[in-house]
Amino acid sequence: MICGRYYLGLDHMEEIAPIRREVFGTELGFPEDIIFDETDELAVQAVVYKDIDRTIPVGVGRLYRTDEEKEYKIGRIAVKKEERGQGFGDFIVRMLVDKGLMMGADRVVVGAQPHAVKFYEKIGFRPTGETYTEAGKEHTVMEIRQGTVCKACQNHTS
């Protein structure tokens, strides 16, 4: 059974850090100063556990308010390699989108690497046309807006 929990700032980094390092550092080659940054102190962190007792963390992500009015950004979504394909990443993203909308966001954005665009589209995100490069990797800005989430959820099949 999937179980998720929100934490504020740097709480529970002992669970978050190893997963981020494994995915962003070892697998994707991002430097440490991108894997962790000052935004972590202000972010809502999501940790997803493989068990109801919350003893086996398998995925993480974060949410923070941007400089744009009523806009939140999710990022640092990471699931342990051996746990992928079981819905943990989808669960994390939906947790963070829900939290952002509950906190008053009109729009929640994500910077998706090319291999992840279809994953975010299945959840209801749409590309905005903006792109950027971080640590030599291309990202497409995608958004999900208030009022479109229920429609996307109704179309979601498991």
Side-chain angles (χ1 to χ4, degrees):
M1 169 183 256
I2 299 175
C3 180
R5 192 144 198 206
Y6 300 107
Y7 299 105
L8 294 177
L10 302 177
D11 288 350
H12 287 262
M13 270 306 202
E14 70 279 2
E15 295 177 336
I16 296 165
I19 297 171
R20 276 206 209 160
R21 278 193 183 101
E22 176 185 321
V23 173
F24 293 109
T26 304
E27 290 181 36
L28 298 174
F30 281 86
E32 188 83 0
D33 65 334
I34 289 181
I35 298 169
F36 305 99
D37 59 26
E38 63 280 349
T39 301
D40 283 320
E41 295 175 29
L42 307 171
V44 172
Q45 310 280 350
V47 179
V48 172
Y49 301 87
K50 190 175 185 173
D51 62 325
I52 195 92
D53 296 325
R54 294 189 293 266
T55 59
I56 307 169
V58 295
V60 298
R62 73 180 185 186
L63 169 80
Y64 60 93
R65 188 168 179 190
T66 71
D67 292 335
E68 299 294 320
E69 187 175 346
K70 295 191 175 191
E71 178 184 274
Y72 284 75
K73 183 172 184 175
I74 63 173
R76 303 304 189 267
I77 308 298
V79 175
K80 290 181 173 184
K81 193 172 193 170
E82 66 273 14
E83 303 294 348
R84 293 182 193 150
Q86 299 179 57
F88 295 119
D90 183 278
F91 192 82
I92 294 165
V93 172
R94 289 179 189 277
M95 279 180 67
L96 293 170
V97 167
D98 185 56
K99 181 61 102 175
L101 296 176
M102 287 191 317
M103 292 171 66
D106 284 339
R107 162 178 132 123
V108 177
V109 298
V110 63
Q113 292 181 47
H115 70 272
V117 169
K118 289 190 186 309
F119 166 79
Y120 288 109
E121 284 177 335
K122 286 180 186 176
I123 293 171
F125 283 84
R126 297 293 171 248
T128 65
E130 303 166 68
T131 61
Y132 64 94
T133 301
E134 184 175 40
K137 306 217 185 286
E138 182 182 317
H139 291 71
T140 298
V141 177
M142 301 181 78
E143 68 177 10
I144 194 164
R145 292 189 167 273
Q146 182 72 262
T148 65
V149 175
C150 291
K151 180 178 175 187
C153 292
Q154 291 171 352
N155 293 332
H156 179 73
T157 57
S158 297

